[in-house]
Amino acid sequence: MLRRALVAALALALAAGALGARYGLEQAGTTRVAAGLLYLPKGAALRAMSLGQEESLADLLYLWAIQYYSNYEDRSRYAFVDRIFRGAITELDPRFLEAYLVGALIMSVEARRPDLALRLYDKGIEMMPENWEIAYWAGWECYYQKDYIGARRYWRLGAARPGAPPELQRHAARMLELAGDLRAALAEYEELYENPPDERTKAVAAAWIERLRTEIGLREVDEALSRYRERYGRCAPDLAALRRAGMLGPLPGEVEGEPPPFVVDTEDCRALPAPRHSFEKAR
């Protein structure tokens, strides 16, 4: 979209003229830099040069940037990627959604600078508090960097914004599990099951609860069996023995007065799910 492009083109030409005066110095330098980029004015100066057509100038810079970053022969092009997208284009038009998304993609995938991508996403989140998409993509950026708590933070932020898809809540809850806090993840899955944003989320949460209750239970019983054997030199015969020794507390999904959800395989001294046991009725 080119808004009053002729006026903006004139402004850009004036800026280029001022920058071009330094072209000879650039040519003499030891590092190749695209003409004018080293002297690209900052946001305030660009706004003054735009003659009131900030959005139009942002459009032109964006179109130029797309072409510029398609030139894979110029190895210096990433040195100014933050200045172009965060310091110029989104300064001229702070609500230019495509500039945030495409700029962050270039920073992360091509320049291998996820830190710059997140800085750009953070700016977009601040400038467009009603938009959930930027937080959504910022969450994926953290996820690919294995920063699961960071991903959770962005997805929870996005989930609270108007029109956000229900899966953001599921993504955020799942990050607790990937970060290793299984009990906290289970509690959030149970909350999603009780108060789901849609039926799909309820069904997914039900499956996650079943799986995670089993995983937590097996892990905690196995740890208790290991402590019991270390103390007594033999395997505990059942869960009751572990509890009499003070080594095992309540397990997720366990219902008082009903058979325990796990049994002890005394031959291998490990926990197994009880036959025909289901956690479904515990929800």
Side-chain angles (χ1 to χ4, degrees), residues 183 216-236 239 241-251 269-270:
R183 286 277 186 170
I216 293 172
L218 289 173
R219 179 182 298 186
E220 293 186 357
V221 175
D222 280 341
E223 290 173 353
L225 287 170
S226 179
R227 292 193 297 271
Y228 188 97
R229 184 166 52 183
E230 183 177 344
R231 178 183 297 181
Y232 297 107
R234 65 182 187 278
C235 186
L239 269 60
L242 293 172
R243 285 175 170 146
R244 286 194 297 272
M247 297 180 178
L248 185 67
L251 297 170
C269 201
R270 61 173 184 156

Side-chain angles (χ1 to χ4, degrees), residues 263-281:
V263 296
V264 176
D265 177 356
T266 55
E267 183 175 346
D268 293 330
C269 201
R270 61 173 184 156
L272 295 174
R276 298 181 301 280
H277 183 85
S278 175
F279 293 105
E280 181 67 32
K281 60 186 175 183

